[in-house]
Amino acid sequence: MATYRHDVLIIGSGAAGLTVALRMSPDARIALLSKGELTSASTYYAQGGVAAVMDQQDSLESHIKDTHVAGAGLCHEDAVRKTVENGPDAIRWLIDQGVGFTRFEEDGRQGFHLTREGGHSHRRVIHVADATGLAISGALIDQVGRRQNVELFEHRTAVDLIVQDGRCAGAYIHNPITGRTDVFLARAVVLATGGASKVYLYTSNPDVATGDGIAMAWRAGCRVSNMEFMQFHPTCLYHPKAKSFLVTEAIRGEGGHLLLPDGSRFMHQFHERGELAPRDVVARAIDFEMKRLGADCLYLDISHRPADFIINHFPTVYAKCLQLGIDITRDPIPVVPAAHYTCGGVITDMHGRTDLPGLYAIGETAFTGLHGANRMASNSLLECFVFGQAASEDISAQLKTLPEPRNAPEWDDSLVTDSDEDVIISHNWDELRRFMWDYVGIVRTVKRLERAMHRIDLLKREIAEYYSNYRISSDLLELRNLVVIGELIIRSALQRRESRGLHYILDFPEMEAEAKDTILVPDQD
């Protein structure tokens, strides 16, 4: 087993982690870890774009107001203002990194093409057709690959953080290829591991989104907040061969209609903005209509727009659907809601600092207060760039004064054996995701939540026993983290005695007058 030493350890290779690496002082020795390939982060799959004020008809105050409205009164003013005000600079930085955003030219005017998504009162989502995440991920990975001070480690799974003298000093990192668990020591550690939507049976997220950073930070003593606010994307492609394929919200932004199986529209019955209502409203409306009708899916139709427009604006969705026999220039797209974004997370300040000195959390892993009770479309990538810069500046400013970690004990697996019962892992994984979907999904009740908590308690004991006696694997580590995530979501949901934003509970359908965060403290566990 090996010990690695760096100045900064970044766990995660999405927009947040890559931004920190690129924004750091060039004399800092950086290790950047990815659970799979460098592209195996949620960023790579993002279709829509980045929300930022780039048009003279728009304003920072309008973007701020829209974010607060979407967040149902729970957004933190300092986080919203910091993110929005730094938006235009973040876009310029991305352009400097080589991101080729889609442009337009018509009637003698030219510039960046901006689209509009749910919750936005203006066109302010800058994009690269409908594959923005792929373009951003590619450009930033290319830039990181040129940095001599950044060492890249692919196919690594974080196990737990290393704490020395009350501060984070690194992490134990499992290498599934060699079977070793190595020690990575650093003066500062950045969790950029993404969200936790794989805790649900149906999700738009890649397989790596198992809440590893949130679970590790919780075990290390960090507070978490607002884990009950799990965003369900209203429109994921419903097809047996379309695993986790998201249908971009920009289709509704460009005039797409949501339809019942009989072809009739319904969103106007739920919100004055119709298809452009905030995501929680749209997802709940689709869920309601599916349950009312007993339908397996509903439909999203853009076929009334010109075929050339559809193919040029949504080439990724067009190509994917065509592979499955659906021509979106003529046919409606079958869609269902799916778990999409973790609005809560590890509590941080405006520099990305957590409760544990030396530990930072950025992006979907973090709770900055930006998203409130419901994330507004395309604010998430912007948060990665803004807070990634803030964290890198904070670390760089004090790097030389941070203590050098002492040697840490090697990972000891001498007293455990190889398991011959891996079926337990797959069974528990499936059981967890199914009851989270059934009992802790888009619409909740106290009774459902209590049932889910009872099952979580049983799984925790089973997994802890398994973890103690057998050699670890990536599947076991992810399951161990997902059970923590499931418990945090359920405990947070039981504490909130109201319906607000993404948390809709039939026992308490009204929203309370005072907006409060749900904060969980490990010592009170």
Side-chain angles (χ1 to χ4, degrees), residues 68 71 76 85 147 150 216 237 290 401 425 442 454:
H68 278 293
H76 294 195
E85 290 179 349
R147 299 294 176 95
V150 181
M216 287 193 300
L237 182 59
M290 285 174 60
T401 65
I425 297 177
I442 296 173
H454 176 67

Side-chain angles (χ1 to χ4, degrees), residues 55-99:
D55 186 83
Q56 292 183 349
Q57 305 297 319
D58 197 2
S59 70
L60 296 175
E61 292 304 319
S62 176
H63 190 177
I64 289 168
K65 179 181 177 183
D66 288 346
T67 299
H68 278 293
V69 170
L74 207 55
C75 300
H76 294 195
E77 174 66 19
D78 56 352
V80 175
R81 191 162 290 278
K82 178 184 182 70
T83 305
V84 170
E85 290 179 349
N86 284 279
D89 284 342
I91 299 302
R92 285 188 281 271
W93 179 76
L94 287 171
I95 294 169
D96 290 341
Q97 304 310 304
V99 179

Side-chain angles (χ1 to χ4, degrees), residues 148-159:
Q148 294 184 348
N149 65 318
V150 181
E151 191 173 1
L152 303 174
F153 296 84
E154 294 182 307
H155 304 288
R156 299 295 202 282
T157 304
V159 182

